[in-house]
Amino acid sequence: MTSEFDYIRENLKQIQERVAKAAQRSGRTPEDINIITVTKTVGIDRIKTVVDEGFYHLGENRVQELCEKYDNLSKECKWHLIGHLQTNKVKYIADKVSMIHSVDRLELASEIQKRSAQIGKTMDILVQVNVSGEESKFGIAPENAMKFIKELSLLKNIKVRGLMTIAPYVENPEDIRGVFKGLRKIFIDIQKENIDNIDMTFLSMGMSNDFEVAIEEGANLVRIGTSIFGKRQY
Ligand SMILES: *Cc1c(COP(=O)(O)O)cnc(C)c1O
């Protein structure tokens, strides 16, 4: 039996194979790498296809879109807010997301702390680092990451679980290997500090165009949209 969404299942299979090979090249196993399916602009029917295949980790970059989809999908889904987050929107998602990947300023962290405390939750977050230094990118500057994380360690309803970066788009992902290496180095430096309440477990880097290079450089959370669903329609 064929269906109109077979292409999604086929893409998932291919992604899993490529992830597995990249994991092996970096001395790890496929199970070490977590795939977040990036569902922004993608409709519920197509998202259900990936959820039915066992891909429960879904990434959205807009609060309103996440909230609209949230009620229409299985409660087993784990939502990741992966894009820039405005402080005044934290209240809409605090009870819905299992991880926020884009924490890059204390004002935002304080609001997450406040809203999480109100609902008795400890929010898993990643600190977004602007490794490439592109002006158009959000994220804290690499040289400020350690100090920022020490400040976050004091917030009881926030649990830092690792780091995230978005690399510049390039034709050849080899050209941005250095960005991934850079985030890995910051990750290890912070790990070595053994800061209270700081857990450096997740390295969220790699998208459709560059996830294999990112995995080779240590990524264990990859955020993939286009390679699964096809080009986004805006
Ligand atoms: C859209 C998006 C992705 C996925 O990008 P693709 O190139 O479609 O795989 C990953 N991370 C973030 C932060 C995004 O906004």
Side-chain angles (χ1 to χ4, degrees), residues 132-183:
S132 67
E134 276 185 297
E135 272 182 37
S136 62
K137 293 265 192 295
F138 292 102
I140 192 152
E143 61 271 25
N144 298 332
M146 184 76 79
K147 177 168 174 281
F148 182 51
I149 284 185
K150 284 181 179 164
E151 290 166 345
L152 297 184
S153 71
L154 305 173
L155 303 177
K156 296 297 172 219
N157 294 78
I158 283 186
K159 182 80 187 174
V160 177
R161 306 295 314 278
L163 304 178
M164 177 272 217
T165 199
I166 304 175
Y169 180 83
V170 288
E171 284 291 318
N172 180 358
E174 281 302 331
D175 296 344
I176 46 172
R177 189 178 284 277
V179 171
F180 302 131
K181 273 191 201 296
L183 192 67

Side-chain angles (χ1 to χ4, degrees), residues 58-91:
L58 308 178
E60 286 283 341
N61 65 344
R62 290 181 55 240
V63 164
Q64 189 183 345
E65 196 174 336
L66 189 154
C67 291
E68 283 165 10
K69 290 171 179 174
Y70 182 83
D71 286 326
N72 291 308
L73 283 152
S74 159
K75 291 290 163 253
E76 280 181 276
C77 293
K78 306 277 183 221
W79 294 88
H80 296 252
L81 200 288
I82 58 174
H84 178 63
L85 178 57
Q86 286 175 273
T87 303
N88 63 1
K89 298 211 169 144
V90 172
K91 57 179 176 285

Side-chain angles (χ1 to χ4, degrees), residues 67-133:
C67 291
E68 283 165 10
K69 290 171 179 174
Y70 182 83
D71 286 326
N72 291 308
L73 283 152
S74 159
K75 291 290 163 253
E76 280 181 276
C77 293
K78 306 277 183 221
W79 294 88
H80 296 252
L81 200 288
I82 58 174
H84 178 63
L85 178 57
Q86 286 175 273
T87 303
N88 63 1
K89 298 211 169 144
V90 172
K91 57 179 176 285
Y92 303 117
I93 56 151
D95 61 333
K96 298 184 178 66
V97 297
S98 51
M99 188 179 275
I100 299 174
H101 289 228
S102 48
V103 178
D104 60 358
R105 55 200 195 281
L106 202 54
E107 180 208 20
L108 173 62
S110 302
E111 177 68 7
I112 297 170
Q113 161 62 33
K114 177 180 145 192
R115 297 293 174 179
S116 302
Q118 280 175 355
I119 56 173
K121 175 173 179 175
T122 302
M123 183 73 79
D124 281 349
I125 65 138
L126 304 178
V127 169
Q128 182 174 356
V129 184
N130 185 359
V131 180
S132 67

Side-chain angles (χ1 to χ4, degrees), residues 36-40 59-62 81-84 101-102 128 164-166 169 204 206-211 222-232 234:
I36 296 176
T37 307
V38 176
T39 51
K40 63 192 187 201
E60 286 283 341
N61 65 344
R62 290 181 55 240
L81 200 288
I82 58 174
H84 178 63
H101 289 228
S102 48
Q128 182 174 356
M164 177 272 217
T165 199
I166 304 175
Y169 180 83
S204 170
M207 313 180 6
S208 288
N209 190 52
D210 56 21
F211 70 87
V222 290
R223 312 176 306 264
I224 302 179
T226 309
S227 293
I228 294 169
F229 297 109
K231 233 171 129 65
R232 282 181 287 276
Y234 285 101

